[in-house]
Amino acid sequence: MAEERASFGSKLGMILATAGGAVGLGNVWRFPYMTGQNGGAAFILIYIGCVLLLGIPCMISEFIIGRHGASNTFRAYSKMSGGKAWKYVGLLGVLTGFLITGYYAVVSGWCLQYIYASVMGELHGDPTAVKTYFDTFATSPVRPIFWTVVILWVTHFVIIHGIRGGIEKASKLLMPTLFVLLLVIVVAACLLPGAEKGISFLLKPDFSKVTHQTFLNALGQSFYSLSIAMGCICTYASYYTRQTNLANSAIQVALVDTFVAILAGLVIFPAAFSVGVNPGSGPSLVFITLPNVFNEAFSGMPVIGWIVSLMFYSLLSLAALTSLISLHEVSTSFFSEELHLSRKTGATIVTVATTIIGAFCSLSLGAVNWLYVGDKTLFDVFDFVTGQIFLPVGGFLTCIFLGWFIPKTVVKDEFTNWGTLRGRFFGVFLFLVRFVCPLAILGIFLHQFNVI
């Protein structure tokens, strides 16, 4: 029998917390520019298909492991494997979440700086001035680290107050605020002159631009967007009750996550098309391209432009914070349970350690010239190792573990809540986890190294 453990106090709080862990910069930043580079609405349709065939089954798999194990991710895998080597898949999830927390906090800190810059009116000027502003800030030895520390300690404050008093309470505040901000900015963007071209680009499929690369990009985006294999989903599921419908919860989280991503597209594409900016301009879209878009789009209404800019970067910061909370909890639960420490002590270890990681990752972006591994900055190394190696490997092994190693009766019991749910799609779920998901993840992994 699982040991007594803290749990979410309500279904709404559980869904908002788990969705908050999935909703992050990947939705508001990465999804729009990936859509822009891959043909607009055609990419979105393929992405939704990938969420259904890959994302939701992988999420349910982690839900099952987390709830059944009723402990941190490492111990959950250890319990379900009987202490066999599969437990190291759980340890990989903890390590992945820990490392991502460090460098993700750097970019999250940039969002806070841009809130400040919006308030102070520092993002005005020509495109060259905006790019110079970002380059000067990102390579500063002090300011990016300051904001990294701020957002990590805000996260720390939430974490030390526990599941119901910290994570659930914060999620009930942050997620509705995020939605309100997003909807207001969508309306402002869609009212711009020429915005209909951006809306059409987002909603009208152009399958002539679809290639095999489009499918691989959609697969990768669906996998990363839902925070699979970072330990977040498994850790949060350990706080689920035995009455939680895991399949329905996964669908609800995926719907929220996808809805936020599409709404973000309805902010960026209408604004970008309104001023003739390429919507697929890549990772620089948020911090260099968009300030210019806001400046030009609202040139006749500078106060509205100031408000939209402030709201957009507030939105980004909230999305980053909800993800950081879930990532932090992965490591906090691990340290507190495995080392038998209080939650506060475990959280402090994680916060201090990830602050140090974040500081070095930030410095590697230009403040110093020795934090390189080969031709990659330390920041890029963390991003590459976690995103392109640890995540797909962890996801692949989780599917193999649940699909082939765990007894089918155990998986079915969790899926159907011990027979209280009908479980009509259990056979489909098991087929996807055993065959489709591992092959798809393996395809993504090999393609990025040009093997296929």
Side-chain angles (χ1 to χ4, degrees):
M1 183 176 177
E3 60 188 67
E4 189 174 344
R5 184 170 177 79
S7 63
F8 289 108
S10 66
K11 182 179 178 181
L12 176 64
M14 178 200 77
I15 294 298
L16 289 177
T18 309
V23 171
L25 295 179
N27 300 73
V28 187
W29 161 56
R30 193 174 190 268
F31 181 85
Y33 86 73
M34 289 291 289
T35 303
Q37 291 176 342
N38 288 276
F43 175 82
I44 293 176
L45 291 174
I46 296 168
Y47 169 80
I48 291 172
C50 292
V51 168
L52 293 172
L53 294 175
L54 173 67
I56 290 175
C58 285
M59 185 179 291
I60 295 172
S61 298
E62 289 201 51
F63 279 168
I64 289 172
I65 294 168
R67 185 172 70 173
H68 191 86
S71 52
N72 70 78
T73 299
F74 169 66
R75 191 179 294 184
Y77 277 80
S78 184
K79 283 182 179 180
M80 292 199 77
S81 68
K84 294 184 172 64
W86 287 106
K87 65 184 178 183
Y88 295 111
V89 179
L91 189 62
L92 177 64
V94 175
L95 177 62
T96 303
F98 177 74
L99 296 179
I100 291 175
T101 306
Y103 82 84
Y104 188 83
V106 176
V107 183
S108 304
W110 294 353
C111 301
L112 295 182
Q113 168 67 25
Y114 269 60
I115 292 178
Y116 171 80
S118 297
V119 170
M120 302 304 292
E122 295 178 356
L123 298 178
H124 296 303
D126 59 40
T128 302
V130 174
K131 184 178 186 305
T132 300
Y133 179 87
F134 174 75
D135 292 341
T136 302
F137 163 69
T139 57
S140 166
V142 177
R143 280 191 298 163
I145 295 176
F146 169 76
W147 290 117
T148 299
V149 171
V150 169
I151 201 160
L152 278 172
W153 283 93
V154 170
T155 304
H156 176 87
F157 178 79
V158 172
I159 292 294
I160 62 174
H161 284 84
I163 303 306
R164 295 191 184 186
I167 295 173
E168 183 172 357
K169 192 173 182 180
S171 298
K172 286 182 175 179
L173 173 65
L174 296 176
M175 289 301 289
T177 304
L178 185 151
F179 274 110
V180 170
L181 284 173
L182 192 50
L183 289 171
V184 171
I185 305 171
V186 166
V187 171
C190 289
L191 290 176
L192 290 169
E196 64 276 2
K197 294 179 182 177
I199 298 172
S200 176
F201 177 82
L202 185 69
L203 301 180
K204 185 178 179 181
D206 181 3
F207 290 103
S208 67
K209 296 182 180 179
V210 173
T211 66
H212 76 285
Q213 184 65 46
T214 308
F215 283 89
L216 288 167
N217 288 338
L219 277 169
Q221 177 64 23
S222 67
F223 186 68
Y224 302 131
S225 179
L226 294 172
S227 298
I228 293 164
M230 299 179 189
C232 306
I233 295 170
C234 186
T235 300
Y236 273 5
S238 71
Y239 304 118
Y240 288 4
T241 66
R242 289 170 65 91
Q243 289 72 44
T244 301
N245 186 320
L246 300 184
N248 282 354
S249 298
I251 292 169
Q252 289 164 351
V253 170
L255 282 173
V256 172
D257 186 75
T258 303
F259 185 59
V260 170
I262 293 174
L263 283 179
L266 282 171
V267 171
I268 290 170
F269 293 118
F273 274 86
S274 176
V275 298
V277 170
N278 176 14
S281 55
S284 64
L285 181 68
V286 165
F287 297 107
I288 297 175
T289 306
L290 276 184
N292 290 317
V293 169
F294 293 146
N295 287 339
E296 190 171 343
F298 297 98
S299 58
M301 303 173 287
V303 174
I304 300 298
W306 177 83
I307 293 172
V308 169
S309 178
L310 175 60
M311 292 180 70
F312 180 78
Y313 289 108
S314 298
L315 166 71
L316 269 186
S317 298
L318 289 178
L321 180 59
T322 57
S323 289
L324 270 179
I325 290 169
S326 67
L327 286 164
H328 199 296
E329 176 62 19
V330 174
S331 301
T332 296
S333 63
F334 172 77
F335 283 113
S336 60
E337 291 174 17
E338 297 307 314
L339 301 180
H340 306 289
L341 302 171
S342 67
R343 165 171 280 270
K344 186 173 183 179
T345 302
T348 302
I349 291 172
V350 176
T351 302
V352 172
T354 53
T355 297
I356 294 170
I357 291 172
F360 278 107
C361 285
S362 180
L363 290 171
S364 75
L365 294 174
V368 299
N369 58 11
W370 48 270
L371 286 170
Y372 279 79
V373 178
D375 60 347
K376 291 182 180 291
T377 66
L378 188 63
F379 181 97
D380 291 334
V381 169
F382 274 69
D383 184 36
F384 175 80
V385 171
T386 56
Q388 294 180 253
I389 298 178
F390 287 179
L391 287 182
V393 168
F396 176 81
L397 292 175
T398 293
C399 291
I400 299 299
F401 175 57
L402 190 93
W404 297 98
F405 182 82
I406 302 300
K408 182 179 176 180
T409 53
V410 174
V411 178
K412 189 171 185 178
D413 283 346
E414 286 286 347
F415 189 90
T416 62
N417 284 3
W418 297 271
T420 60
L421 302 174
R422 293 178 64 183
R424 289 176 295 176
F425 298 103
F426 175 72
V428 176
F429 161 72
L430 197 62
F431 175 79
L432 292 173
V433 170
R434 282 183 168 179
F435 300 103
V436 178
C437 294
L439 289 174
I441 295 169
L442 185 63
I444 299 168
F445 182 73
L446 294 178
H447 178 75
Q448 69 187 357
F449 296 107
N450 298 316
V451 176
I452 59 172

